[in-house]
């Protein structure tokens, strides 16, 4: 409405077009948060599908969990504004961005993210659909939303409909839930250390660790196990029932992400009141539709840097919301925080404790992002997100390598 009488000229200001796409790689923590130095809790004899091979049991880095490294995507607009994002992907993902996806971005309006996403996905469907390719698409999509926010001078959560709450509350993932409790987090998610290859002895050690943490944390603190795809339905069922006595709140990603049938069976098998969660290695609305329609889990946990980005997470979240399911994204720093605050069915978030102990809170994607907010007393106020885009900048002290160009 015009405030004053007279002609009201409503002019849509044209958006600057994307003029450059750059993909870099970086090593050492950051978005590829498994890429840590020796002695870090996150690589301390954690159960994985590779643990059936004794030579790959003590360390996930031994089989290559950190082989990719971080992908950094920059999108530059004609007015000089640069949007960027980071995810797991490294050099192969940089190739996909520079040599395949860039053609759908150069000369385009960053506000056309639906068309751009559609072209990135369906042009790579013949070799993508999940994993590395969708990681690359996710990074481009997140950089688009960062660029949009910077062009509109608004935080991404404003572009998603605004906050439905004043603060984010977090559970912490790491080896020390007892310390997480003292730091004000609402729960602690432990990595599972022993899988089927270590038999009943290993299962007893898993239960003993949970019992110890329950004794340290008291009865009211959430305790969860993250099984990182390491188990089979029988072992996961036995573990769930053995851990029920110690108040295990949820059993996470117990079996292969491809075994939708196994998840549906596990969800029927676990004790009443225990939740089954999964999805961090699932991708797109179609993958999550399968998890939801086959009743595989109680909570889906997409990683916004791996599932297709914000543009796809909007669709995934709506599917879950329509079925009364919670969406608690896998820890992905500001990229999930800006989403979670805007959705009623995302009442809390994950904070991955990246300190080696972990005995203190450090930024999740350290050292790559400057300005990354961290929880205080297990919470982040929405006002901490009130900066354009995702509100973070690349740390200029982190060496970047650009292996390809477009
Ligand atoms: C702690 C788990 O083993 C993984 O390292 C973690 O990244 C992921 O599964 C999570 O849910 O945070
Ligand atoms: Mg997990």
């Amino acid at each position: 409405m015009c405030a004053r009488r007279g002609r009201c000229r409503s002019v849509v200001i044209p958006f600057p077009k994307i003029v450059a796409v750059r993909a870099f790689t970086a090593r050492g923590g950051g978005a590829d948060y498994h890429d840590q130095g020796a002695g870090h809790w996150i690589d301390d004899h954690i159960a994985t599908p590779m643990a059936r091979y004794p030579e790959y049991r003590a360390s996930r880095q031994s089989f290559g969990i950190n082989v990719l490294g971080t992908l950094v995507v920059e999108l530059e607009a004609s007015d000089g504004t640069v949007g960027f994002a980071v995810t797991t992907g490294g050099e192969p993902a940089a190739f996909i961005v520079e040599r395949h996806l860039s053609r759908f971005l150069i000369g385009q309006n960053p506000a056309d993210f639906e068309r751009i996403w559609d072209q990135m996905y369906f042009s790579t469907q013949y070799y993508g659909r999940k994993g590395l390719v969708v990681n690359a698409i996710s990074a481009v999509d997140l950089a688009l939303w960062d660029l949009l926010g910077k062009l509109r001078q608004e935080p991404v959560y404003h572009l998603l409909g605004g906050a439905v709450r004043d603060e984010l509350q977090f559970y912490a993932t790491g080896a020390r839930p007892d310390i997480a409790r003292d730091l004000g987090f609402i729960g602690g998610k432990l990595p599972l250390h022993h899988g089927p290859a270590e038999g009943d002895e290993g299962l007893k050690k898993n239960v003993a660790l949970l019992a110890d943490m329950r004794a340290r944390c008291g009865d009211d603190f959430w305790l969860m196990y993250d099984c990182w795809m390491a188990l089979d339905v029988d072992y996961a069922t036995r573990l769930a029932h053995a851990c029920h006595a110690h108040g295990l709140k949820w059993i996470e990603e117990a079996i292969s992400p491809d075994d939708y049938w196994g998840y549906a069976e596990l969800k029927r098998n676990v004790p009443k009141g225990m939740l089954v969660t999964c999805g961090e290695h699932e991708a797109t609305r179609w993958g999550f539709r399968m998890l939801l329609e086959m009743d595989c889990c109680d909570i889906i946990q997409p990683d916004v840097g791996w599932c297709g980005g914000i543009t796809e997470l909007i669709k995934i979240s709506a599917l879950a919301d329509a079925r009364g399911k919670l969406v608690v994204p896998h820890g992905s720093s500001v990229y999930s925080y800006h989403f979670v605050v805007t959705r009623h069915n995302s009442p809390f978030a994950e904070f991955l404790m990246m300190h080696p102990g972990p005995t203190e809170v450090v930024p999740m994607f350290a050292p790559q992002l400057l300005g990354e907010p961290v929880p205080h007393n297990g919470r982040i106020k929405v006002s901490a997100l009130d900066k354009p885009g995702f509100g973070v900048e690349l740390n200029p002290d982190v060496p970047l390598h650009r292996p390809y160009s477009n």
Side-chain angles (χ1 to χ4, degrees):
M1 277 286 281
C2 285
R4 289 174 283 104
R5 290 175 58 78
R7 275 170 52 77
C8 178
R9 286 165 44 79
S10 59
V11 174
V12 175
I13 300 167
F15 251 21
K17 299 284 192 276
I18 297 167
V19 294
V21 177
R22 295 182 288 271
F24 303 92
T25 63
R27 298 293 310 182
D32 191 2
Y33 53 83
H34 290 111
D35 190 26
Q36 299 292 341
H40 197 290
W41 72 263
I42 209 163
D43 201 25
D44 175 19
H45 195 290
I46 292 174
T48 78
M50 288 293 287
R52 60 175 72 108
Y53 305 101
E55 66 272 33
Y56 295 125
R57 199 172 290 171
S59 154
R60 294 192 282 190
Q61 289 192 14
S62 69
F63 71 73
I65 196 171
N66 62 328
V67 70
L68 291 174
T70 292
L71 167 70
V72 181
V73 172
E74 282 188 344
L75 302 179
E76 184 173 343
S78 53
D79 69 347
T81 306
V82 175
F84 87 96
V86 297
T87 191
T88 311
E91 192 160 328
F95 177 89
I96 294 166
V97 172
E98 297 267 13
R99 298 293 172 81
H100 198 166
L101 305 183
S102 60
R103 70 191 71 192
F104 306 115
L105 292 154
I106 299 293
Q108 298 306 313
N109 178 339
D112 291 339
F113 51 81
E114 282 289 354
R115 186 184 66 216
I116 292 169
W117 195 96
D118 195 65
Q119 291 177 346
M120 290 196 294
Y121 181 77
F122 288 102
S123 64
T124 57
Q125 190 178 40
Y126 71 100
Y127 70 94
R129 299 177 50 241
K130 292 183 195 289
L132 183 70
V133 175
V134 183
N135 287 21
I137 290 171
S138 302
V140 170
D141 185 75
L142 292 169
L144 273 171
W145 282 86
D146 188 49
L147 178 58
L148 272 179
K150 287 171 176 173
L151 289 170
R152 290 177 173 160
Q153 284 294 290
E154 289 196 271
V156 168
Y157 82 88
H158 279 191
L159 309 182
L160 291 168
V164 297
R165 58 185 73 89
D166 296 333
E167 66 177 15
L168 271 157
Q169 56 180 350
F170 292 87
Y171 75 85
T173 297
R176 296 297 302 272
D178 53 331
I179 292 177
R181 176 181 178 276
D182 297 341
L183 290 169
F185 289 95
I186 58 174
K189 183 168 77 181
L190 281 160
L192 189 77
H193 290 287
H194 308 285
E198 296 178 77
D200 287 346
E201 274 316 298
L203 193 145
K204 284 177 190 154
K205 288 178 185 171
N206 291 330
V207 178
L209 174 62
L210 181 69
D212 174 53
M213 281 300 165
R214 177 55 69 204
R216 292 166 184 251
C217 297
D219 292 340
D220 301 333
F221 187 66
W222 296 354
L223 286 176
M224 298 76 86
Y225 253 140
D226 187 305
C227 307
W228 211 75
M229 306 172 278
L231 312 179
D232 54 51
V233 174
D234 170 64
Y235 187 100
T237 300
R238 288 188 293 121
L239 178 67
H241 282 270
C243 289
H244 192 42
H246 307 293
L248 188 71
K249 183 178 181 65
W250 76 60
I251 183 168
E252 176 170 326
E253 216 186 17
I255 56 179
S256 163
D258 297 316
D259 190 358
Y260 302 101
W261 306 268
Y263 273 109
E265 184 182 353
L266 178 61
K267 187 170 179 294
R268 293 192 296 271
N269 290 355
V270 297
K272 270 239 167 299
M274 185 179 293
L275 302 175
V276 173
T277 72
C278 64
E280 76 182 62
H281 294 103
E282 187 53 86
T284 78
R285 71 201 82 153
W286 298 286
F288 283 93
R289 177 183 174 187
M290 187 72 99
L291 286 178
L292 293 165
E293 293 197 358
M294 289 191 65
D295 197 18
C296 294
C297 57
D298 300 286
I299 298 176
I300 60 170
Q301 301 166 303
D303 183 301
V304 70
W306 302 344
C307 72
I310 289 278
T311 304
E312 196 64 2
L313 184 53
I314 293 169
K315 299 177 174 73
I316 293 165
S317 176
L319 281 176
D321 195 15
R323 301 176 75 95
K325 296 287 184 185
L326 295 186
V327 179
V328 181
H330 171 249
S332 38
S333 186
V334 289
Y335 302 112
S336 53
Y337 304 164
H338 279 259
F339 186 85
V340 165
V341 290
T342 69
R343 291 311 191 265
H344 285 292
N345 64 325
S346 297
F348 55 90
E350 175 181 11
F351 186 77
L352 253 162
M353 299 285 278
M354 294 319 300
H355 179 269
T359 54
E360 56 186 271
V361 171
V362 298
M364 217 175 108
F365 281 178
Q368 292 172 359
L369 301 182
L370 297 182
E372 186 182 0
V374 295
H376 296 287
N377 193 32
R379 285 149 181 83
I380 291 179
K381 292 216 175 310
V382 173
S383 55
L385 305 180
D386 282 342
K387 296 176 199 158
F390 288 107
V392 289
E393 294 303 328
L394 270 174
N395 181 349
D397 296 336
V398 170
L400 297 181
H401 170 55
R402 187 179 183 192
Y404 306 99
S405 58
N406 54 75

